[in-house]
Amino acid sequence: MISKKVLRGVIHCHSRYSYDSVIPVASYLRLATTHSLDFIILTDHETLDGSLRLREAAARYMPSLQVPIAAEYCTDHGDIIAAFLTEDIPVPEYELFVCRARAQNALLLLPHPYDGHHVPERLAAECDVIEVFNSRSTDEQNRLAVQLASEYRKPVYAASDAHLSRSLPRVILEVENLGDLRNSLLAGKIGWLGVSKTPKWEAVASQMIKAWIRRDAKIPMRLAAHGLYQLAKRCSRLRATTRRA
């Protein structure tokens, strides 16, 4: 069999095993079939269950699909993705988390560096690959992520960060095949097909899912307060523009 020169796949997406997503594992098999994917790195929040279930389903129906065990973890320094894991890392302390991940020879990825990270530079120095386009991040956040990766000379990737099935194909990666997926992500050229941004209502929807699953009434209250604040800002700008006219 002739080896593929490019591996096609997706990194950083969620399933119903995350507390803010409802995507069934079956949707990932359909995505892989429709877009001829070679790998999927499913990164549910704080749990390996999604990637484990996807790997089991792929072994049954799509044995050629590579599914590294992975998750997106919230540390006291912000979110980090650990891929190619052998076991869970349920520790919030950043230094201990990194130590345990390295003990498993895990690949560390920095998602959306300028959304939810207080000191992204510290994480950038430690992580292996940096996310420079996130469909849910602002253009400015993505621009800063590009600068960060350039400064630390790290490989880069793009991600849909999908929480709803309709966003799964927003970012499809093409990775130079260097023999195995882990090494390809570390040392191969990574590009992506046409990307698209996630509409804001999807981000709100994922937060409402989180509120429902966690029975947290504070989340919709914060969303409502933020919406009113943004509306007030737009009204203020409109009044200023009218006065100048």
Side-chain angles (χ1 to χ4, degrees):
M1 181 180 294
I2 299 175
S3 177
K4 290 185 175 182
K5 293 183 178 180
V6 172
L7 299 174
R8 180 177 289 190
V10 295
I11 299 175
H12 188 189
C13 41
H14 301 271
S15 77
R16 68 181 185 85
Y17 292 94
S18 280
Y19 49 68
D20 55 357
S21 175
V22 292
I23 303 176
V25 166
S27 291
Y28 284 97
L29 297 181
R30 287 193 291 270
L31 178 75
T33 300
T34 302
H35 294 276
S36 302
L37 301 187
D38 300 295
F39 70 90
I40 294 175
I41 300 181
L42 177 59
T43 56
D44 283 315
H45 293 293
E46 319 299 336
T47 179
L48 302 179
D49 289 349
S51 59
L52 287 168
R53 298 293 85 76
L54 178 57
R55 176 180 278 191
E56 291 172 359
R60 189 177 305 117
Y61 301 109
M62 299 184 68
S64 63
L65 181 66
Q66 298 185 62
V67 184
I69 303 305
E72 181 177 6
Y73 292 94
C74 181
T75 74
D76 53 13
H77 281 62
D79 294 338
I80 301 179
I81 290 172
F84 302 90
L85 290 171
T86 56
E87 60 183 32
D88 194 15
I89 314 176
V91 292
E93 295 82 6
Y94 171 72
E95 290 81 3
L96 182 56
F97 175 88
V98 171
C99 181
R100 291 193 178 181
R102 293 305 186 195
Q104 299 185 47
N105 197 32
L107 195 69
L108 294 180
L109 301 93
L110 176 56
H112 43 70
Y114 289 91
D115 183 5
H117 298 90
H118 300 298
V119 189
E121 295 79 11
R122 181 171 184 182
L123 280 74
E126 184 66 49
C127 288
D128 301 301
V129 192
I130 295 178
E131 188 175 281
V132 296
F133 177 88
N134 180 298
S135 291
R136 290 158 61 99
S137 295
T138 67
D139 291 340
E140 177 64 10
Q141 288 169 337
N142 287 331
R143 185 187 66 79
L144 291 171
V146 171
Q147 291 182 351
L148 183 70
S150 177
E151 179 181 350
Y152 285 87
R153 298 182 180 181
K154 295 297 179 75
V156 302
Y157 73 99
S160 67
D161 196 0
H163 288 69
L164 300 180
S165 294
R166 68 192 306 275
S167 280
L168 287 177
R170 291 190 185 279
V171 178
I172 304 294
L173 299 177
E174 290 190 336
V175 182
E176 180 184 8
N177 187 1
L178 299 182
D180 69 88
L181 180 57
R182 187 183 187 282
N183 187 49
S184 297
L185 291 169
L186 273 175
K189 295 179 181 178
I190 302 176
W192 41 89
L193 306 178
V195 298
S196 62
K197 297 295 290 295
T198 300
K200 290 183 178 180
W201 71 262
E202 283 195 35
V204 173
S206 69
Q207 288 299 301
M208 294 304 292
I209 293 168
K210 179 179 178 180
W212 173 258
I213 292 175
R214 291 190 163 184
R215 300 296 191 266
D216 188 347
K218 294 181 180 179
I219 294 175
M221 292 174 63
R222 287 197 297 267
L223 290 172
H226 179 72
L228 289 172
Y229 172 72
Q230 293 298 321
L231 178 61
K233 284 179 62 177
R234 285 196 291 270
C235 289
S236 179
R237 287 196 296 267
L238 180 60
R239 286 196 297 268
T241 301
T242 302
R243 284 196 295 269
R244 286 195 298 269

